Amino acid sequence: MSGLVRALTAVLALAVLAGLTACSRTAEPVTLRVLASPELADVAPLLGELKEDTGVELEMVYEATADLAGQYPDGPGYDLAWLASDRSFLLRVQDSGGRLTRPETTPIMRSPVVVGLEEAVADRLSGAAPEGRVSWADVADAAADGTVRFGMADPRRSDTGRAALVGVATAAAGTGRALREEDVSCDRLRGFRSGQTLTAASSRELIAAHRGRPGRANALIAHEAELLALNAGERRGAPLRIVHPDDGMVLSDFPLLLLDPEQRSAYGRVVDWLLSADTQRALMERTFRRPVNDDVEPSGPLRADVGNALSFPDSLSVVEQLVTDYGDPRSRTADQVVFVLDFSTSMRGERMAGLRAAFAGLSGADDTAAGKFARFYRGERLTVVRFGGRVLEERTVTVRSDADLRTLDGLVADGGYDDATAVWTALDRGYRIATAAVREEPARPVAIVLMTDGESNAGIGYDEFLRRHRSLGGDARAVPTFPVHFGEADAAALRRAAAATGGRMVDANLSSLADAFKEIRGCH
């Protein structure tokens, strides 16, 4: 009897399976047009099975488009969107005032945005990091000193590049929370950005460009899955070592979005098929992305802990400001900062020691996370103007090596003093330098940092400085001054100067000169 029962059970199971298969194959065939991130081209070989099993054919249109701008609902008629991430898009929906409707969205697979480093660079960074745990701050520091030359997709066009930028900026803010308006700084990522030597509209194109010109970059910032696929494929040289930054990373979940509600039935068939254990396993093996189905055991390197997943901002304006500040990654223009520094006799002793320590920290001696993001970087142009009762000395260098930084450190360390304090004469000189810099290279951002510990008692007065400032051309007038209030300096006068020039005063008496200079480097 038991043999007969087993035989009947098998027959019934086969009948049910045949019925389900017949049902899926006899369901109304439909073709859905899908706007897809180029990274998802690796899923294409599985789409034939999707059509066979569900009757739904996906017509994939691969296009790099951050947050579906210009596509939904005004663009070409797409039924679905399949993105690396929908976070930026959903913020746009949230911010639309009801013009856009939030579509149904389903995560399909996951992959964190990480760093792939050539072995020698990885050894150098991990060897210097505590317990070998490399952070975004370490990457930014190495980019600033020229050690890391990385490729990353353009955040203006790619959700992958945008996720990478959010990860780095969140780490730079150091708050442990999602970025807010006050956390987005105009300068904190300049050192990191100086290391970018390769970009593309999507990370798929970025990988292709790296394959074609492997010497252009020694690091790639992309999804873990893309770097695993790169290492598994044919490539010149040793595989990249994949680093999950210790200060966290953004996790993409490759969601499928229903843009046309009339296609909900077909969308449901596609989602059910994609989330089935067999398909999740096939996606993992083919694309190296992590399954979202908990019944599927991750394989090989995907068993590694993702680490600290960073939160995405909850405001579209924060993301847009971050992308705008980062600018065009193909542009190589670096900043110029004019430091107008008080060398009156009141700066002797501990105050001058604090100033020298602050400069040494900006030159790379500060190994804190904030210090690594705020440091001077390759390509940056730096001017130091020492003043007392008059301008005592002036030097400008473009940072190409540590020798240039030592030159400036020496200027601060070895300079003599003067008995008087001509604050406004010195600041006027700073604006003459800024005017020449703007005229020479209009695209180069210029800022002035004024540090003094006393009231002005020599040279021109504030009103005369203001008159001269107003006579400058528009571009030169737009150069901001960030006064650092220290010691017995006139805080009210420094605030007026900051307001008149579009800058902001920082009070070093509340912390230290080193912290004040870091804050100005962030220039929130």
Side-chain angles (χ1 to χ4, degrees):
M1 280 298 284
S2 60
L4 178 59
V5 170
R6 283 196 298 273
L8 288 172
T9 300
V11 169
L12 286 171
L14 288 171
V16 170
L17 179 60
L20 290 173
T21 302
C23 179
S24 65
R25 288 179 177 172
T26 57
E28 182 181 355
V30 62
T31 298
L32 302 181
R33 195 159 183 259
V34 184
L35 176 62
S37 294
E39 292 89 336
L40 287 160
D42 56 8
V43 175
L46 298 177
L47 299 183
E49 297 177 33
L50 168 66
K51 179 181 179 181
E52 181 179 346
D53 292 345
T54 68
V56 181
E57 179 178 4
L58 299 186
E59 180 186 316
M60 306 286 277
V61 180
Y62 300 105
E63 184 176 336
T65 171
D67 75 19
L68 298 188
Q71 303 292 347
Y72 176 76
D74 305 317
Y78 293 104
D79 302 299
L80 310 178
W82 199 350
L83 310 176
S85 171
D86 63 1
R87 291 185 180 96
S88 189
F89 166 65
L90 293 180
L91 290 178
R92 190 163 71 87
V93 172
Q94 172 185 296
D95 206 47
S96 70
R99 189 180 70 86
L100 301 178
T101 303
R102 182 185 176 102
E104 187 173 342
T105 176
T106 307
I108 303 300
M109 44 198 170
R110 297 191 179 97
S111 191
V113 176
V114 298
V115 186
L117 298 169
E118 289 186 356
E119 284 295 327
V121 179
D123 285 343
R124 178 170 174 177
L125 266 62
S126 61
E131 300 180 7
R133 300 165 68 91
V134 177
S135 66
W136 284 119
D138 295 324
V139 174
D141 187 44
D145 74 11
T147 300
V148 164
R149 295 172 287 105
F150 69 88
M152 185 179 81
D154 189 340
R156 300 170 304 167
R157 303 179 61 187
S158 164
D159 282 315
T160 304
R162 191 165 290 192
L165 182 57
V166 166
V168 179
T170 303
T175 62
R177 62 173 182 248
L179 286 171
R180 300 185 301 184
E181 296 279 359
E182 59 266 33
D183 300 324
V184 178
S185 62
C186 70
D187 200 40
R188 192 61 53 81
L189 297 184
R190 292 292 196 265
F192 168 79
R193 187 185 182 281
S194 70
Q196 183 163 6
T197 57
L198 190 64
T199 193
S202 71
S203 57
R204 183 175 181 83
E205 294 174 54
L206 178 75
I207 299 292
H210 178 68
R211 286 181 186 272
R213 301 180 66 182
R216 184 83 175 271
N218 57 21
L220 291 176
I221 300 175
H223 284 109
E224 171 193 66
E226 294 165 308
L227 299 180
L228 288 171
L230 175 66
N231 285 343
E234 293 184 9
R235 56 170 279 122
R236 285 179 259 173
L240 297 176
R241 188 187 303 175
I242 296 176
V243 171
H244 296 74
D246 193 47
D247 36 7
M249 65 217 85
V250 172
L251 185 65
S252 297
D253 56 11
F254 296 88
L256 188 67
L257 285 67
L258 175 62
L259 302 184
D260 182 358
E262 294 185 4
Q263 300 296 345
R264 177 166 281 103
S265 176
Y267 171 80
R269 279 186 271 164
V270 174
V271 166
D272 289 345
W273 187 85
L274 289 172
L275 296 183
S276 68
D278 287 345
T279 304
Q280 288 275 290
R281 200 169 290 110
L283 286 169
M284 177 178 62
E285 292 170 355
R286 175 169 289 279
T287 73
F288 296 96
R289 298 185 184 100
R290 297 169 183 249
V292 296
N293 185 332
D294 292 335
D295 293 332
V296 178
E297 180 72 21
S299 61
L302 301 183
R303 294 194 183 100
D305 185 18
V306 170
N308 178 28
L310 298 174
S311 298
F312 207 79
D314 57 9
S315 168
L316 180 63
S317 62
V318 171
V319 178
E320 290 177 337
Q321 186 61 52
L322 182 62
V323 172
T324 298
D325 282 353
Y326 195 77
D328 184 349
R330 295 170 300 179
S331 170
R332 305 305 300 159
T333 300
D335 293 22
Q336 177 164 350
V337 182
V338 181
F339 289 91
V340 181
L341 305 177
D342 186 349
F343 271 68
S344 58
T345 51
S346 59
M347 282 291 296
R348 289 182 184 275
E350 290 185 7
R351 292 180 179 180
M352 184 53 60
L355 176 60
R356 290 166 179 165
F359 252 75
L362 292 176
S363 297
D366 186 345
D367 62 359
T368 66
K372 290 176 179 179
F373 278 112
R375 62 163 295 167
F376 296 139
Y377 58 87
R378 294 297 185 269
E380 188 172 19
R381 185 179 293 176
L382 303 170
T383 300
V384 169
V385 177
R386 297 192 310 107
F387 74 92
R390 57 186 175 80
V391 172
L392 301 173
E393 190 174 4
E394 172 188 322
R395 181 77 61 86
T396 297
V397 301
T398 298
V399 180
R400 303 296 182 196
S401 67
D402 289 343
D404 298 311
L405 296 176
R406 287 194 295 272
T407 295
L408 289 184
D409 286 347
L411 188 64
V412 173
D414 301 331
Y417 299 91
D418 191 74
D419 289 336
T421 307
V423 173
W424 308 119
T425 295
L427 185 55
D428 179 62
R429 177 56 189 159
Y431 271 96
R432 302 302 157 186
I433 297 169
T435 298
V438 169
R439 186 182 301 120
E440 177 185 346
E441 193 171 352
R444 182 188 290 273
V446 181
I448 296 174
V449 175
L450 169 65
M451 191 286 301
T452 181
D453 73 336
E455 295 186 14
S456 187
N457 57 18
I460 65 173
Y462 175 74
D463 289 340
E464 174 61 17
F465 160 74
L466 203 57
R467 187 192 68 76
R468 295 184 184 186
H469 179 265
R470 288 170 179 161
S471 70
L472 299 174
D475 289 343
R477 279 200 314 275
V479 171
T481 290
F482 296 95
V484 177
H485 176 242
F486 194 45
E488 295 75 44
D490 185 342
L494 295 180
R495 285 195 186 93
R496 289 198 302 272
T501 61
R504 179 176 59 85
M505 191 191 82
V506 177
D507 196 340
N509 290 325
L510 300 178
S511 53
S512 66
L513 277 175
D515 288 341
F517 279 13
K518 286 179 198 174
E519 188 174 344
I520 285 171
R521 296 287 284 171
C523 48
H524 298 292

